């Protein structure tokens, strides 16, 4: 029976805890967070869980609750990643991270620093986890995470790969003012920071909201949508692993679109997402902070979501698509992969969650389930784009049980 420590009682951690409570191979779940109310609200609904209030800035507090754990699931902000990796090594536990952490202090926050830090994790932390016979798995949400698994599955169809384009369009819109269904802070950071792409075999920065692509997908009713460059991890990890895991792909992009992006783009163009102070009427203000101050938080509790849905939705749509361009026996083709998933209303009806929470939470839980069932035999540190074929197939089979369904189509591009 496995003992699992979940750090963070937010949407992702809560969803994983609830699903783990139903797993026969789990004996104990520890839910740790700084927010006592969030812990209490979570553990009172579970049979196998107990709560621990901790200050995650203090490594000794994490170590104390982590002793004896078989797996540590890290749902904390990315700046805690290195610290929790070290804790997992100290207590000799497997490690799962929803995101891919950053070490801004030692490696910087630009594309080159991100790539150097990721390579450092693969090599140095990979050796350390291999020495204790444990697996560290990073990037285990929906994107990165599910989308990496989908890309890996799609590329399997090709003899060689030239270009991979990952596209996420989130078009859900409430009648009330609610620009983002997830953290406004993270959303605005990702949209205003330079994008990252893998172009001609190199990891490079791209202009925010730049390099648009336009598509017509059936799940969007055939209407044309626009997706643009976005600050996301996939081109970094998949670019580093392109030769081994993506059949020599030379170009890898992550594109994003939807109502949140449509809200943020004019703010960026007006300079209102800048983090540099400006003087206005004798007062120094940071435009980014002013905008963030006026945005409502993302809904996360059942009653909050219900009230929004009772008021009504303007739109409940989206798509999750990976395009892989390459060759099959010398013939140029496109492998187009679509994931269908419940929308906002259906996600709430099924699990009391928003679509964002549902997709990310279930996607993350499946990786946790694979740890519980001992499906990982890679001692060391890997990202979700590095799963082997058997693991990819098992993951996608599990995903179907949550109505996360993959469809593949091979199209001639000659």
């Amino acid at each position: 029976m496995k003992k699992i420590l979940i750090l963070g009682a937010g949407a992702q951690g809560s969803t994983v805890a609830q699903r783990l409570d139903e797993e026969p191979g789990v004996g104990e779940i520890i839910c740790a967070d700084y927010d006592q109310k969030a812990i209490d609200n979570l553990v009172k609904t579970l049979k196998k869980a107990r709560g621990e209030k901790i200050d995650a800035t203090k490594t000794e507090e994490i170590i104390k609750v982590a002793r004896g754990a078989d797996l540590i699931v890290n749902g904390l902000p990315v700046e805690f990643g290195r610290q929790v990796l070290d804790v997992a090594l100290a207590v000799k536990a497997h490690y799962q991270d929803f995101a891919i952490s950053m070490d801004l202090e030692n490696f910087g926050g630009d594309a080159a620093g991100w790539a150097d830090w990721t390579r450092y994790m693969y090599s140095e932390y990979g050796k350390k986890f291999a020495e204790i016979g444990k697996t560290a798995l990073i990037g285990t949400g929906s994107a990165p995470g599910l989308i990496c698994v989908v890309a890996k599955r799609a590329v399997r169809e090709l003899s060689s790969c030239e270009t991979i384009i990952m596209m996420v369009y989130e078009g859900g819109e409430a009648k009330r003012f609610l620009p983002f269904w997830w953290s406004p802070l993270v959303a605005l950071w990702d949209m205003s920071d330079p994008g990252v792409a893998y172009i001609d075999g190199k990891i490079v920065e791209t202009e925010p909201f730049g390099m648009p692509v336009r598509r017509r997908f059936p799940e969007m009713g055939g209407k044309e949508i626009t997706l643009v460059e976005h600050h996301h991890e996939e081109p970094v990890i998949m670019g580093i692993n392109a030769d081994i895991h993506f059949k020599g792909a030379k170009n890898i992009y992550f594109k994003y679109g939807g109502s949140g992006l449509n809200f943020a783009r004019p703010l960026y163009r007006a300079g209102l997402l800048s983090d540099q102070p400006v003087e206005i009427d004798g007062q120094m203000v940071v435009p980014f902070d002013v905008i963030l101050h006026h945005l409502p938080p993302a809904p996360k509790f059942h009653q909050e979501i219900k009230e929004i849905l009772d008021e009504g939705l303007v739109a409940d749509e989206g798509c999750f698509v990976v395009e892989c361009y390459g060759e099959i026996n010398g013939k140029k083709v496109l492998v187009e992969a679509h994931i269908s998933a419940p929308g906002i209303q259906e996600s709430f009806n099924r699990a009391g969650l928003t679509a964002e929470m549902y997709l990310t939470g279930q996607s993350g839980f499946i990786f946790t389930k694979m740890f519980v069932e001992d499906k990982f035999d890679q001692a060391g540190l890997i990202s979700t784009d590095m799963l082997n074929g058997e693991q990819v197939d098992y993951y996608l089979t599990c995903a179907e049980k949550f109505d996360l369904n993959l469809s593949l189509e091979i199209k001639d591009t000659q």
Side-chain angles (χ1 to χ4, degrees), residues 120-131 134 379-381:
Y120 181 87
M121 282 197 293
Y122 286 145
S123 62
E124 298 305 312
Y125 277 98
K127 292 176 185 176
K128 292 177 181 178
F129 276 94
E131 287 170 358
K134 301 295 182 181
L381 184 144

Side-chain angles (χ1 to χ4, degrees), residues 125-384:
Y125 277 98
K127 292 176 185 176
K128 292 177 181 178
F129 276 94
E131 287 170 358
I132 64 171
K134 301 295 182 181
T135 303
L137 183 66
I138 58 176
T140 64
S142 57
L146 169 62
I147 205 166
C148 299
V149 174
V150 172
K152 193 75 180 287
R153 175 62 186 87
V155 167
R156 185 190 301 173
E157 301 297 320
L158 298 172
S159 304
S160 63
C161 182
E162 179 66 25
T163 297
I164 300 171
I165 307 176
M166 291 161 281
M167 292 170 280
V168 176
Y169 189 93
E170 295 181 308
E173 186 176 353
K175 286 186 176 179
R176 71 166 63 176
F177 178 62
L178 186 66
F180 303 107
W181 292 87
W182 69 107
S183 166
L185 175 62
V186 174
L188 292 180
W189 270 346
D190 286 350
M191 291 179 187
S192 59
D193 282 351
V196 182
Y198 184 69
I199 302 176
D200 293 331
K202 296 180 180 179
I203 297 169
V204 299
E205 291 188 345
T206 57
E207 180 68 24
F209 303 99
M211 301 170 63
V213 298
R214 294 173 177 84
R215 296 290 189 271
R216 297 182 186 273
F217 293 131
E219 51 264 66
M220 298 299 298
K223 71 178 182 181
E224 185 177 79
I225 60 173
T226 300
L227 306 102
V228 299
E229 283 296 287
H230 198 56
H231 183 82
H232 239 248
E233 299 98 323
E234 291 85 349
V236 176
I237 58 174
M238 292 168 60
I240 292 171
N241 295 319
D243 288 342
I244 296 175
H245 291 278
F246 293 95
K247 297 187 177 179
K250 300 301 182 186
N251 307 288
I252 302 173
Y253 303 92
F254 184 93
K255 304 288 186 178
Y256 181 76
S259 54
L261 180 137
N262 295 337
F263 170 81
R265 188 191 336 235
L267 297 176
Y268 175 79
R269 295 182 66 187
L272 294 174
L273 298 185
S274 171
D275 60 1
Q276 298 303 308
V278 296
E279 184 176 347
I280 301 176
D281 296 333
Q283 300 290 324
M284 299 301 293
V285 298
V286 176
F288 186 99
D289 293 344
V290 174
I291 296 297
L292 185 63
H293 177 76
H294 287 85
L295 297 184
K300 61 179 181 178
F301 296 115
H302 185 277
Q303 188 58 35
E304 290 180 279
I305 303 169
K306 183 178 185 303
E307 289 174 0
I308 293 169
L309 295 179
D310 287 347
E311 291 171 9
L313 297 172
V314 175
D316 188 1
E317 60 186 8
C319 62
F320 196 94
V321 182
V322 178
E323 294 178 343
C324 297
Y325 296 85
E327 294 186 356
I328 298 179
N329 299 324
K331 182 178 181 181
K332 293 185 181 299
V333 299
L334 158 65
V335 180
E336 189 173 289
H338 292 244
I339 284 285
S340 62
I344 301 170
Q345 185 66 60
E346 185 182 351
S347 295
F348 182 77
N349 294 342
R350 292 170 66 98
L353 304 171
T354 66
E356 169 73 21
M357 295 164 65
Y358 184 88
L359 179 61
T360 302
Q362 315 312 315
S363 299
F365 163 70
I366 298 170
F367 293 111
T368 314
K369 178 180 174 68
M370 291 173 69
F371 271 110
V372 172
E373 297 180 355
D374 298 319
K375 297 295 184 182
F376 295 110
D377 56 5
Q378 298 101 321
L381 184 144
I382 60 173
S383 47
T384 47

